[in-house]
Amino acid sequence: MTLVLGFLRPRFIERSLKVLDADEKVLQVYLRDKDDTNGHPVSDRVYFAEWVPYRLVARDYDAGKWGVWHGFSWNPGLRRRRDYQLLGSFGSLDPSGKKLPWEIEREASLFYRKHDFVAAILAEDCGPGYVRHLGDDRHVPEVRGPAAVGSR
């Protein structure tokens, strides 16, 4: 198997674009496998955007101490610029600069939930997804304060 820019399989951009074009309320298309979502539930139902199968990522998922998530993720995936522009900036979710990066990610998830967005995941069940999560407990450094807000 040939790796394409560190990805496991090619043509994920074309497939993801088909999904985004088919439904304006799909915020992003995950590139990970449905069994590689940190426990975030994925629908059993398979949808099609032309010839591209995809599933929806659950909204209102209670991840225990991590809070409630609605599908938005900073993990690799395809997104639209206009949906980012709707939010304005991630810094707007933490004007005091006191939140951790994952808390801002969760707040973004809630923001998009309130705007009725949903996340999708490519559903070619015969493969490992297009990327694999390798980070486990390694995270982006958790910097707090004005420098953290300015870096977003």
Side-chain angles (χ1 to χ4, degrees), residues 37 59 108 131 136:
T37 61
R59 294 192 272 192
V131 298
D136 294 325

Side-chain angles (χ1 to χ4, degrees), residues 8 30-42 55 57 61 73 75-76 120-122 125 127-136:
L8 300 173
Y30 286 24
L31 299 181
R32 289 163 65 171
D33 183 68
K34 68 180 175 28
D35 297 323
D36 187 29
T37 61
N38 292 328
H40 199 122
V42 174
R55 299 172 192 270
V57 178
Y61 166 57
S73 173
N75 280 294
I121 187 167
L122 294 172
D125 292 334
Y130 292 85
V131 298
R132 293 296 295 174
H133 186 271
L134 302 174
D136 294 325

Side-chain angles (χ1 to χ4, degrees), residues 1 6 21 36 46 64 73 85 141:
M1 175 184 324
D21 287 344
D36 187 29
V46 176
S73 173
Q85 292 170 332

Side-chain angles (χ1 to χ4, degrees), residues 2-13 31 76 130-131:
T2 301
L3 291 178
V4 178
L5 298 174
F7 294 94
L8 300 173
R9 297 176 19 206
R11 295 188 299 279
F12 58 86
I13 293 174
L31 299 181
Y130 292 85
V131 298

Side-chain angles (χ1 to χ4, degrees), residues 54-90:
Y54 68 97
R55 299 172 192 270
L56 298 179
V57 178
R59 294 192 272 192
D60 307 312
Y61 166 57
D62 186 348
K65 71 177 185 173
W66 302 103
V68 178
W69 293 75
H70 308 286
F72 174 80
S73 173
W74 284 332
N75 280 294
L78 203 63
R79 302 159 184 86
R80 293 183 204 88
R81 178 184 287 188
R82 74 168 188 239
D83 299 335
Y84 275 124
Q85 292 170 332
L86 179 64
L87 174 63
S89 75
F90 293 115

Side-chain angles (χ1 to χ4, degrees), residues 103-136:
E103 292 172 314
I104 297 166
E105 184 180 23
R106 184 187 61 206
E107 293 299 317
S109 186
L110 178 60
F111 173 87
Y112 288 115
R113 170 69 168 107
K114 288 178 178 177
H115 286 84
D116 202 32
F117 282 97
V118 65
I121 187 167
L122 294 172
E124 290 107 347
D125 292 334
C126 61
Y130 292 85
V131 298
R132 293 296 295 174
H133 186 271
L134 302 174
D136 294 325

